[in-house]
Amino acid sequence: MPIHSPWRADFPGILALAAEGQTYLDSAATAQKPQAMLDALLGYYAGGAANVHRAQHLPGERATRAFEATRASLAAWLNAAEPSQIIFTRGATEAFNLLAYGLEHCFQAGDEIVISALEHHANLLPWQQLALRRQLKLVVLPLDNSGLIDLEHAAQLIGPRCKLLTLSQLSNVLGGWQPLSPLLALAKAQGALTVVDGAQGVVHGRHDVQTLGCDFYIGSSHKLYGPDGVGLLYGRTAALQQLAHWQFGGEMLLQTSYHSARFRDAPLGFEAGTPPIASVIALGASLAYLAGLDADAVATHEARLHAQLLSGLQQRQGVRLLGAPQVALASFVVDGVHNADLAHLLTEQGIAVRAGHHCAMPLLQSLGLSGAIRVSLGLYNDSSDLERFFTALDQALELLR
Ligand code: PLP
């Protein structure tokens, strides 16, 4: 049965790519943008750009109001207690680095940081490097056969030296929702801080950070149908108070002399220099667009399309799915076929999917793979995209096998 996206026409990028013969199935890497976001981006520049939080003049005041409105929208989107719990960074990756530097003073040699085997490099390398700087131990939670963190092992590995647990909510490779509640509870029982990588999770459904109960939650604007160059870091107020300042410059300070300074609290104390003003304002427009959609209709559309993707892959001989994806994406390999060769033939047929290690090299290594193909869906995709993908896949496999 054909599945149409009622929102496709709202995304000029997907229409432009289609007109060029490109089928875009790489939204987990970055999503196409709604017209409302493009209008907001242009509107800010065309209406007169101004810096935020410093100018007394009208354009400056207007820009500051719009910028802060996005902070309030994000707080509402995540059900944070207050807008001041949202820090804008220049990407999810920068948010992890902020935490790894900002919390460095909380660790002593021998302390443990616990991650899982499927973390994106953004939620691995900042901690790995912190562990190397401070002689900490990085503990890696293993996965079960469906690609979820094994709770029995986790209970054994999250011990009294655990000072921080940081986990992906939804894997960008395996597409499974992690059992965060019991895992965060294990860490909290040891008095550890908890971080959730919501870069993929925040895009699908609505998540309530207070119910989740994590100390920090990280997301990425460009995956959430917003512009690139913006990340979000939510922190519980008490957790934010533990952060040491890490980037220094304009607007993050209360007072300075040549030889010493006093800094602002979060959020502004962690937003040194001119932020990505236009992008933050435009992210607000993306959120307003998303908030205006029927959330149930979006979830149903995503689920139906995902089921079609999975059944199409499962029907093809020799295609092996990684993990047990639950939403929005599926990664796979084909017996006897190199993923780079397959990716090349798909690209030649105008199919935009991702191939390689997906910024999770240790995960792929642990699965004995050098790479995999990932198909990922946005709310603008429909079944005609999947049909074109499967036709191209069949042709490519006929050539390669
Ligand atoms: N975490 C996950 C699970 C991701 O998928 C990504 C991006 O692919 C990131 C973190 C990093 O996001 P960004 O590249 O926007 O900083």
Side-chain angles (χ1 to χ4, degrees), residues 28-29 91-94 96 120 122 168 170 172 197 199-200 220 222-223:
T93 300
E94 192 182 78
F96 285 106
H120 187 281
S168 164
L170 177 67
N172 63 312
D197 175 358
Q200 297 292 339
S220 189
H222 68 94
K223 295 184 199 289

Side-chain angles (χ1 to χ4, degrees), residues 3 40-41 44 59 71 97 117 125 132 135 156 159 167 179 185 197 223 229 255 307 314 318 327 343 352 368 389 393:
I3 303 168
L41 204 54
Y44 163 73
R71 201 188 304 276
N97 281 280
L125 294 172
L132 291 170
Q135 291 87 47
Q156 287 157 16
L167 299 175
D197 175 358
K223 295 184 199 289
Q255 187 275 328
Q314 279 154 351
V327 71
F389 162 69
L393 178 65

Side-chain angles (χ1 to χ4, degrees), residues 245 249-257 261-265 268-269:
H245 293 88
E251 286 308 306
M252 51 78 66
L253 75 160
L254 290 168
Q255 187 275 328
T256 188
S257 69
R262 283 191 302 116
F263 304 117
R264 289 180 193 262
D265 291 338
L268 295 189

Side-chain angles (χ1 to χ4, degrees), residues 288-307:
Y289 169 80
L290 292 173
L293 304 182
D294 174 345
D296 290 339
V298 171
T300 305
H301 176 73
E302 288 193 348
R304 287 177 69 206
L305 215 52
H306 191 242

Side-chain angles (χ1 to χ4, degrees), residues 336-354:
V337 173
H338 197 286
N339 76 87
D341 294 336
L342 180 51
H344 178 71
L345 291 181
L346 291 172
T347 300
E348 279 202 333
Q349 297 176 81
I351 303 296
V353 292
R354 175 99 185 260

Side-chain angles (χ1 to χ4, degrees), residues 4-18:
H4 297 292
S5 165
W7 310 289
R8 195 170 172 93
D10 298 340
F11 291 82
I14 204 83
L15 301 179
L17 287 172

